[in-house]
Amino acid sequence: MRRVVVTGLGAVTPLGVGTRRTWSRLLDGHCGIVNIAHRHPRFADIPAQVAAVVPAGARRDGGWTPSDWLTRDEERKMALFAQFAMAATQEALDDAAWRPTSPEQCAETGVCLGSGIGNFEEIYNTVVSYEQNGYKKISPLFVPKLLINLAAGHISMKFGFTGPNHAATTACTTGAHSIGDAARFIAFGDADVMITGGAESCIHPLALGGFARARSLATSYNDNPTKASRPFDADRQGFVVGEGAAVLVLEELEHALSRGARIYAEVKGYGTSGDAYHITAPKENGEGALSAMKKALRNANIAPSAVDYINAHATSTIVGDAAENAAIKSLLLGQNGKQTAKEINVSGTKGAIGHLLGGAGAVEAIFAVLAIHENIMPPTINLDSKTAEFDCNYAANAAQERSINVALTNSFGFGGTNSTLCFARYK
């Protein structure tokens, strides 16, 4: 198999537009979760009125203004999740210094980028308009703005990439699956470069209402939104819906070296599994998560003892965080792993950015890559008290300098879908 490395990063998150801004604010303990009751009168009916929102504003200040990234025609044709993906892609391509122009280069560059829910607001508005006014009120752009794969499609058309064009949609595992699949496209020789990640924007009363009715959301922090997402904390209640996008440029190693590209890290392993258990809850022992992590390490040919850091899925749900924590300890403690739980370095970054659903695995992959690149473990904010089983090192409320050569990042989704990516320092 050909080796795959990361050469470019791009992000649009609730901590700001741009990878560096997001990363620096994450390390400093900032939080992008706000109260959203003012955005729509229907939020008053919902017990959860907080979300992690991409901040509006000027690009130079890390804010989101579509015209900074898109023409007026592009903005009209793209759903917001696709707009976020396009902006993150432009940043990632610039970061990688990869803008192919020849037909041969374009044919060896592909896109693998998905979303969990996609353009929810367009569906809602069109259904309401159709019920009230009939067929002629359906926009000709309704279906093109609806389809999950159109973010990847718009990216390929914008930049002329004619390599593999693929989109995963596996709920909250989408971003991680997209990156793992893209790495395999390169490893198997289908492309030399892949633009990959995930994007989401579904902060709408009906979407939050659905998650709230499923008892998945934090509901007691409407007046204190920055405290709502509490990975591994004893007072965690549920997740906080977030929006944004993250994109990585993956590249075949020799291709990257031949053009003198900066290498952030190497993609060493990818593991997937299914719980075959419940539509929303994991098995309490974390069996599915453990299987995905084991497969990723087996694919990487790396022992559990070599894992220096895990960016956990850790959505701040009662059952989910406990199950993942149990799985991590099962993986890393023992004969081929660490001697004590305190040696296990784990952080849950959703306390700062909320849960980006289909974009979560991608933005957290960026955090894992940067943890290796800069030897720093991002913090788990809002971790103020722990029950006895949470006895690993979670970098509670403060980033930690660490020697990080191997990092895992986990993503799990409704339907029992699980994925783990393994990154390592390039040698």
Side-chain angles (χ1 to χ4, degrees):
M1 294 295 177
R2 305 197 306 170
R3 295 173 68 180
V4 182
V5 294
V6 181
T7 58
L9 305 173
V12 175
T13 80
L15 289 177
V17 177
T19 300
R20 286 294 158 190
R21 184 174 182 85
T22 293
W23 178 243
S24 64
R25 298 193 76 225
L26 175 71
L27 297 182
D28 288 342
H30 291 279
C31 180
I33 298 171
V34 297
N35 185 287
I36 54 168
H38 64 282
R39 288 173 55 134
H40 195 290
R42 283 292 189 185
F43 279 123
D45 303 333
I46 301 169
Q49 298 170 2
V50 299
V53 178
V54 173
R59 181 176 178 178
R60 64 180 179 274
D61 299 322
W64 172 255
T65 300
S67 60
D68 287 338
W69 302 93
L70 307 160
T71 66
R72 185 172 297 180
D73 188 55
E74 287 172 336
E75 184 180 349
R76 181 179 66 88
K77 292 178 179 177
M78 290 185 200
L80 185 55
F81 80 93
Q83 294 179 25
F84 288 157
M86 183 66 77
T89 296
Q90 290 186 47
E91 183 192 11
L93 289 171
D94 288 344
D95 189 42
W98 179 246
R99 288 293 179 94
T101 54
S102 73
E104 294 77 18
Q105 289 177 326
C106 289
E108 292 301 326
T109 304
V111 186
C112 183
L113 190 146
S115 181
I117 294 177
N119 196 359
F120 194 91
E121 188 166 3
E122 188 81 12
I123 299 172
Y124 178 87
N125 291 340
T126 300
V127 169
V128 171
S129 182
Y130 176 70
E131 282 297 308
Q132 293 176 348
N133 301 294
Y135 162 75
K136 291 187 176 180
K137 290 299 181 179
I138 300 173
S139 168
L141 293 171
F142 172 57
V143 172
K145 291 178 73 173
L146 183 68
L147 298 175
I148 293 291
N149 73 302
L150 259 291
H154 280 296
I155 291 165
S156 69
M157 290 183 281
K158 171 88 170 180
F159 299 105
F161 301 149
T162 56
N165 192 287
H166 186 60
T169 176
T170 47
C172 306
T173 319
T174 295
H177 277 150
S178 296
I179 294 167
D181 291 350
R184 287 184 175 173
F185 281 130
I186 296 172
F188 279 87
D190 295 309
D192 288 333
V193 181
M194 290 294 298
I195 313 307
T196 183
E200 202 75 80
S201 181
C202 63
I203 298 174
H204 186 277
L206 188 57
L208 263 68
F211 284 124
R213 291 289 286 172
R215 299 182 179 180
S216 299
L217 302 184
T219 59
S220 297
Y221 297 91
N222 294 335
D223 295 328
N224 196 9
T226 61
K227 301 297 182 182
S229 183
R230 314 180 63 82
F232 303 124
D233 188 75
D235 295 325
R236 67 190 185 278
Q237 291 186 338
F239 71 83
V240 175
V241 176
E243 65 178 0
V247 169
L248 293 78
V249 176
L250 304 187
E251 197 164 343
E252 191 271 327
L253 175 61
E254 295 304 322
H255 187 277
L257 292 175
S258 70
R259 66 183 193 87
R262 171 182 50 198
I263 295 175
Y264 283 102
E266 182 174 358
V267 184
K268 293 291 287 186
Y270 173 41
T272 65
S273 71
D275 288 343
Y277 176 67
H278 189 272
I279 56 174
T280 59
K283 291 183 179 180
E284 291 188 3
N285 63 2
E287 181 181 315
L290 178 60
S291 176
M293 289 187 285
K294 283 183 173 179
K295 289 178 180 179
L297 288 181
R298 184 178 66 196
N299 182 222
N301 194 28
I302 289 174
S305 59
V307 176
D308 300 308
Y309 168 62
I310 297 179
N311 186 287
H313 183 62
T315 61
S316 189
T317 61
I318 294 171
V319 174
D321 286 15
E324 184 178 11
N325 191 68
I328 288 169
K329 290 167 67 174
S330 294
L331 176 78
L332 296 188
L333 286 177
Q335 184 176 359
N336 297 316
K338 314 292 184 183
Q339 297 304 304
T340 66
K342 290 181 180 180
E343 298 174 63
I344 299 173
N345 299 316
V346 184
S347 63
T349 46
K350 289 183 175 71
I353 61 170
H355 188 359
L356 270 62
L357 307 178
V363 71
E364 288 157 16
I366 286 180
F367 295 159
V369 166
L370 288 174
I372 292 169
H373 189 64
E374 299 187 3
N375 282 313
I376 190 163
M377 178 179 170
T380 304
I381 69 168
N382 297 326
L383 181 49
D384 300 326
S385 61
K386 297 177 291 185
T387 50
E389 68 270 27
F390 293 97
D391 52 354
C392 302
N393 171 36
Y394 304 97
N397 298 304
Q400 296 178 359
E401 292 187 2
R402 296 272 168 181
S403 176
I404 301 176
N405 293 302
V406 176
L408 301 182
T409 180
N410 290 333
S411 291
F412 316 128
F414 282 6
T417 177
N418 310 300
S419 182
T420 299
L421 296 166
C422 177
F423 296 98
R425 189 176 304 280
Y426 165 66
K427 295 179 182 178

